[in-house]
Amino acid sequence: MRVLGIETSCDETAASVVALEPGQAPRILSSTVFSQIEEHAAFGGVVPEIAARAHVEALDGIVEAALEDSGVGFEDIDAIAATAGPGLVGGLIVGLMTAKAIAASVGKPLIAINHLEGHALTARLTDNLAFPYLLLLVSGGHTQIVLVRGVGDYQRWATTIDDALGEAFDKTAKMLALPYPGGPNVEKAAQSGDATRFVFPRPMKGSAQPDFSFSGLKTSVRQAATAVAPLSDQDVADICASFQAAVADTLGDRVKRALARFRDEFPDCETPALVVAGGVAANKQIRALLEKLCAKNGFAFIAPPMALCTDNAAMIAWAGIERLRAGLVEPDAFDFVPRSRWPLDSVSAPIVGSGRRGAKA
Ligand code: KG4
Ligand code: ZN
């Protein structure tokens, strides 16, 4: 089984070919990612119109490069999988229409993939992980804890009621005049800072439901920055360190609750696991905290390689393979309209404000 995947939901234009042969581990034959970061940097966040235009310009070449790298042609591909949501609708239209055109012209099935499902199933591509497991997705657009029970079978246990975690990092960076994208720069500045100098709130800490909230923390950062302005390098470092400590504390509390709930619901699961995905998973302090938490609670901690944690098309191609072999391919995928909002779990009640995209759209 070979599937071509296409990803265009935010600011990465990506294409990939993934193969699965009977009795063998899946193989990523190619994975090409073109990041638009430089085109958005001047604006301190992703600008939807610039993103859509950049996808139009880049996608054909990226698909061609992915096919060339993989050594297979369209005739060797069994299906085309494309991200159809959630994300910026301009980019989604470009990716899905391109996929539809390819699928129609080569006479192969089209599979419309939920971007979050791509993240959710990556650990089965990299680590052959068995269901059920927990996913912590922390990116610029999403902050969720999801129970992954099977292909197409997800339950959202927690989400943010306001900003995504990556967005909180990016906005903090912007307030402190650190370059975009903010996450890595906040982490770097925090290394030489005093995490005890500012006492920032730990939003939602202690609440029974493991949801997240970061906008109050962002407000506190703004107030602290205003109070000590003009900011020296040390002030910036101290604010970053204090911000990161608050994030780690609240994240640890939320994840701990989710691990406990998993234990309650799956007492017989012998190999419980927590998978992380999203750009924020690159943060060393957050990684170390999660690793420790998992070890303490008897969970395996699974962090796929960074290139597969952040947005890529291999996860979309893989989700296509998972759907194909589970017999979950919609016969009318050509009618699928891109969805800027598309919850993985259609059962859990929507939370007002969740998934709202700010600086990082
Ligand atoms: O998954 P991702 O690459 O893209 C999307 O959100 O689509 O995540 C990007 C986010 C940005 O908000 C970025 O600031 C954050 O991940 N990020 C980090 C770090 N590296 C990237 N946040 C905290 N610490 C980092 N080291
Ligand atoms: Zn993503």
Side-chain angles (χ1 to χ4, degrees):
M1 222 185 262
R2 291 192 196 95
V3 170
L4 168 69
I6 292 178
E7 159 62 39
T8 53
S9 67
C10 192
D11 59 342
E12 270 91 21
T13 313
S16 162
V17 179
V18 176
L20 181 66
E21 317 286 345
Q24 287 185 22
R27 280 182 307 142
I28 299 173
L29 301 185
S30 66
S31 180
T32 310
V33 180
F34 167 68
S35 168
Q36 304 173 1
I37 276 187
E38 279 176 18
E39 308 194 33
H40 300 286
F43 304 94
V46 177
V47 182
E49 286 73 18
I50 294 178
R53 193 170 291 270
H55 285 306
V56 172
E57 285 166 5
L59 187 55
D60 286 356
I62 297 289
V63 169
E64 218 176 310
L67 282 174
E68 207 175 304
D69 289 354
S70 70
V72 302
F74 281 130
E75 63 284 0
D76 307 308
I77 300 283
D78 295 295
I80 325 291
T83 302
L88 297 173
V89 80
L92 294 172
I93 290 172
V94 174
L96 191 56
M97 288 308 293
T98 302
K100 283 182 183 180
I102 296 172
S105 64
V106 296
K108 299 287 163 74
L110 171 77
I111 314 173
I113 300 290
N114 183 313
H115 177 86
L116 304 172
E117 178 168 67
H119 282 301
L121 298 177
T122 298
R124 291 168 52 77
L125 166 65
T126 56
D127 292 78
N128 191 25
L129 194 61
F131 299 122
Y133 56 87
L134 279 179
L135 168 77
L136 171 68
L137 174 60
V138 274
S139 71
H142 305 281
T143 304
Q144 302 192 353
I145 299 175
V146 177
L147 169 67
V148 184
R149 272 186 305 218
V151 179
D153 186 3
Y154 313 99
Q155 201 177 30
R156 194 192 64 211
W157 278 6
T159 186
T160 174
I161 61 169
D162 40 58
D163 294 347
L165 183 51
E167 196 178 347
F169 269 94
D170 292 336
K171 287 181 175 170
T172 293
K174 208 169 175 177
M175 288 187 269
L176 302 174
L178 292 172
Y180 174 83
N185 291 300
V186 169
E187 179 175 23
K188 204 165 138 211
Q191 280 161 8
S192 50
D194 172 5
T196 60
R197 176 163 162 207
F198 298 94
V199 182
F200 291 139
R202 271 61 174 157
M204 311 296 278
K205 191 174 171 185
S207 95
Q209 174 67 18
D211 283 327
F212 302 93
S213 164
F214 296 106
S215 76
L217 177 55
K218 179 184 70 191
T219 306
S220 301
V221 168
R222 184 183 299 116
Q223 286 164 347
T226 311
V228 294
L231 300 172
S232 68
D233 286 353
Q234 193 57 53
D235 293 331
V236 169
D238 292 346
I239 292 176
C240 287
S242 304
F243 165 80
Q244 220 172 250
V247 165
D249 209 12
T250 192
L251 200 61
D253 176 74
R254 314 287 62 217
V255 171
K256 202 161 93 186
R257 273 171 203 270
L259 300 187
R261 176 170 170 192
F262 188 94
R263 281 272 187 218
D264 278 353
E265 294 200 10
F266 301 95
D268 301 328
C269 179
E270 285 172 11
T271 53
L274 174 75
V275 177
V276 280
V280 185
N283 187 288
K284 292 189 196 69
Q285 188 180 352
I286 291 176
R287 251 177 201 250
L289 163 107
L290 294 171
E291 226 166 332
K292 217 164 110 187
L293 203 59
C294 283
K296 208 169 147 193
N297 289 278
F299 276 66
F301 175 67
I302 307 221
M306 243 2 257
L308 294 174
C309 268
T310 55
D311 289 351
N312 66 89
M315 69 178 189
I316 303 303
W318 173 248
I321 289 181
E322 290 264 39
R323 286 204 157 252
L324 271 178
R325 66 175 178 180
L328 288 174
V329 175
E330 316 276 332
D332 53 356
F334 278 94
D335 297 334
F336 201 101
V337 175
R339 298 179 61 180
S340 57
R341 279 172 180 261
W342 183 6
L344 248 194
D345 164 4
S346 52
V347 180
S348 298
I351 291 192
V352 179
S354 70
R356 195 190 63 193
R357 296 185 143 212
K360 168 89 183 185

